[in-house]
Amino acid sequence: IVTTDRGEVAKGSAEIFFRKVKFWKEDGQEEAPPVFNVDGVNYFHVKVVGLLFVATTRVNVSPSLVLELLQRIARVIKDYLGVLSEDSLRKNFVLVYELLDEVIDFGYMQTTSTEVLKSYIFNEPIVVDAARLQPLGPAAIFMQGTKRMPGTAITKSVVANEPGGRKREEIFVDIIEKISVTFSSSGYILTSEIDGTIQMKSYLTGNPEIRLALNEDLSIGRGGESANDCRSSYGSGAVILDDCNFHESVRLDSFDMDRTLALVPPDGEFPVMNYRMTQEFKPPFHINCLIEEAGHLKAEVILKVRAEFPSNITANTVVLEMPLPKYTTRASFELEPGVTGQRTDFKGANKKLEWDLEKFVGGVEHTLRAKLTFSQELHANIIKEAGPVSMTFTIPMYNVSRLQVKILSGEILADSKEI
């Protein structure tokens, strides 16, 4: 989706953007940056479940503002269509165009609230069969065995009724955390941080008030300020968050006393609470890397990764990357005997080792050996020129901070049902 609302950008901007992103090779990067300029046109883009949402302008605007707007546009479209995919966008092109026309007026943002937009949008969504959907992103899937199942909340539109005209009375809550940890070469933790959110998607009618009870031993900040400022002197509990912020619909009347949030949820998907944590925690993985010279113009890299979480939990889409010396010409790999679902690759363009594991069971350790061949004599310290190792992964149904939604309660006044 490329927005050219003011008409100040040439109609061929979509083709220019596509070619620039597809063949981006500048400075050895594999992907184009989220913001770049071509012939005086600024291109902003975000990728959501494999789809690119793009905004173009010739005006000097705040990149963070435009990127946030694109994320919210993607969320609103998902609320209305139920799922984000190429198939759902093609089938609902008229509805998506109508949404964009209401969200942006002559280049100015009007609203990205799903609830407000319902008063102005009149097209009905064409529902896509969820059984034919491709696997979704890590924050939008639940796992069942070794198969990926799209989450129920993700595959339903907030404006479409159930067959037979029945109303849905459902609400979904997820805790999603992004972990960033840096280890020293000897295995000690140098920095650790968790960026988390309590995400909610509501299909409730009648605007009922609901309450979320979090951990009673939750402590926020160490300054002793009020909950409205996301700081509290409530004890020194097991879960200590550095700071947080809440959705505008959340009331904090009893938050200091019993860690309960009260809110009237708007339609669609929204973050109830965003938080950050730098308190020391146990990382889900431990990585060991050993590099040794192995003769003339050769070296060997041994990577060991151990999952520190319980054996009944499985991580998915695990990817390890390691930059190699710039004079590396070839790399051959040796995996453990009998392993399946693992793939190795040497990226010659940017001299990088890549190790992909489809799944990683808790308590298990995996090892990769890589034999490197160089094009010149080793004049520098190879250990300093290789690394650091980076790792990305997804662990469904597991959060490191131990933050929990203990109770979710409310009452639907229309038919006196409790949720």
Side-chain angles (χ1 to χ4, degrees):
I1 297 178
V2 179
T3 61
T4 54
D5 199 54
R6 292 186 180 180
E8 64 186 13
V9 178
K11 291 185 177 180
S13 60
E15 181 67 21
I16 294 172
F17 169 81
F18 175 76
R19 289 183 175 274
K20 195 70 176 176
V21 169
K22 185 174 178 62
F23 301 107
W24 190 275
K25 297 293 182 182
E26 195 171 300
D27 297 327
Q29 297 183 63
E30 294 184 359
E31 294 186 356
V35 182
F36 58 88
N37 184 286
V38 179
D39 298 330
V41 178
N42 299 311
Y43 292 85
F44 307 81
H45 76 280
V46 298
K47 183 180 285 187
V48 183
V49 290
L51 298 172
L52 291 171
F53 290 78
V54 189
T56 59
T57 179
R58 291 185 180 272
V59 180
N60 185 16
V61 297
S62 168
S64 57
L65 171 66
V66 180
L67 296 175
E68 175 66 19
L69 172 61
L70 291 174
Q71 290 281 3
R72 293 194 182 196
I73 287 175
R75 187 192 66 195
V76 167
I77 293 175
K78 186 172 71 170
D79 283 344
Y80 274 81
L81 305 189
V83 294
L84 268 181
S85 67
E86 184 178 348
D87 190 22
S88 65
L89 286 174
R90 288 181 183 277
K91 289 184 176 181
N92 291 278
F93 176 79
V94 176
L95 173 57
V96 172
Y97 188 90
E98 188 179 9
L99 281 168
L100 290 175
D101 193 44
E102 295 296 339
V103 170
I104 302 175
D105 187 8
F106 196 62
Y108 294 97
M109 181 181 67
Q110 303 302 307
T111 181
T112 56
S113 167
T114 300
E115 193 167 21
V116 172
L117 287 168
K118 288 177 70 174
S119 303
Y120 304 101
I121 304 299
F122 301 101
N123 281 286
E124 289 290 328
I126 300 173
V127 180
V128 177
D129 183 10
R132 297 188 295 109
L133 292 176
Q134 296 296 316
L136 300 177
I141 60 172
F142 297 95
M143 303 302 297
Q144 190 175 61
T146 58
K147 298 182 179 179
R148 294 188 180 183
M149 304 292 291
T152 309
I154 304 302
T155 59
K156 293 182 179 180
S157 167
V158 298
V159 296
N161 292 328
E162 291 284 272
R166 294 180 289 108
K167 294 287 186 180
R168 288 195 304 272
E169 300 297 350
E170 297 174 317
I171 191 165
F172 299 84
V173 182
D174 264 327
I175 295 180
I176 304 167
E177 293 184 343
K178 179 181 178 181
I179 306 169
S180 300
V181 182
T182 304
F183 292 97
S184 68
S185 58
S186 56
Y188 291 101
I189 297 176
L190 299 177
T191 63
S192 59
E193 183 174 327
I194 298 174
D195 288 307
T197 180
I198 300 178
Q199 196 81 0
M200 179 177 288
K201 190 164 188 178
S202 173
Y203 298 95
L204 302 179
T205 58
N207 295 322
E209 181 180 272
I210 64 171
R211 303 182 74 84
L212 279 77
L214 306 180
N215 309 53
E216 292 182 358
D217 56 3
L218 172 65
S219 180
I220 301 177
R222 297 176 177 86
E225 299 174 26
S226 68
N228 291 299
D229 295 323
C230 291
R231 299 274 193 256
S232 176
S233 58
Y234 181 86
S236 56
V239 180
I240 303 176
L241 307 181
D242 288 67
D243 50 61
C244 65
N245 60 70
F246 301 95
H247 189 267
E248 58 187 13
S249 64
V250 175
R251 290 192 297 103
L252 303 171
D253 300 347
S254 60
F255 185 69
D256 280 339
M257 289 191 301
D258 56 12
R259 291 304 190 236
T260 299
L261 305 175
L263 71 153
V264 177
D267 291 334
E269 188 174 347
F270 66 97
V272 177
M273 170 183 169
N274 298 308
Y275 58 91
R276 186 173 65 93
M277 175 180 172
T278 57
Q279 177 195 9
E280 185 175 334
F281 57 85
K282 186 178 182 180
F285 290 98
H286 190 83
I287 306 172
N288 283 324
C289 180
L290 177 64
I291 305 174
E292 294 180 337
E293 293 187 28
H296 182 63
L297 298 180
K298 293 182 182 296
E300 186 175 45
V301 176
I302 302 175
L303 274 176
K304 290 186 178 182
V305 185
R306 179 174 177 80
E308 302 289 349
F309 45 87
S311 59
N312 61 337
I313 296 174
T314 301
N316 306 287
T317 59
V318 179
V319 179
L320 288 94
E321 292 184 339
M322 179 179 178
L324 301 174
K326 59 184 178 181
Y327 41 79
T328 305
T329 58
R330 193 168 66 89
S332 60
F333 302 99
E334 179 184 335
L335 292 169
E336 301 157 308
V339 298
T340 59
Q342 297 188 23
R343 184 180 64 84
T344 56
D345 192 14
F346 170 59
K347 306 288 186 180
N350 52 10
K351 308 299 182 184
K352 186 180 291 185
L353 174 157
E354 186 175 291
W355 182 16
D356 297 354
L357 301 91
E358 290 183 5
K359 62 178 182 177
F360 206 128
V361 179
V364 174
E365 182 178 89
H366 290 293
T367 302
L368 169 69
R369 294 177 179 269
K371 296 182 178 180
L372 310 180
T373 303
F374 304 123
S375 61
Q376 65 183 50
E377 294 289 346
L378 305 181
H379 299 294
N381 188 337
I382 181 178
I383 297 177
K384 293 183 178 180
E385 295 195 29
V389 180
S390 62
M391 183 178 187
T392 59
F393 52 87
T394 301
I395 311 179
M397 310 304 292
Y398 178 80
N399 67 320
V400 178
S401 71
R402 302 186 305 277
L403 181 68
Q404 294 180 327
V405 176
K406 296 286 189 178
I407 301 174
L408 172 64
S409 63
E411 185 177 350
I412 302 172
L413 300 178
D415 49 11
S416 299
K417 292 192 299 183
E418 285 197 359
I419 57 173

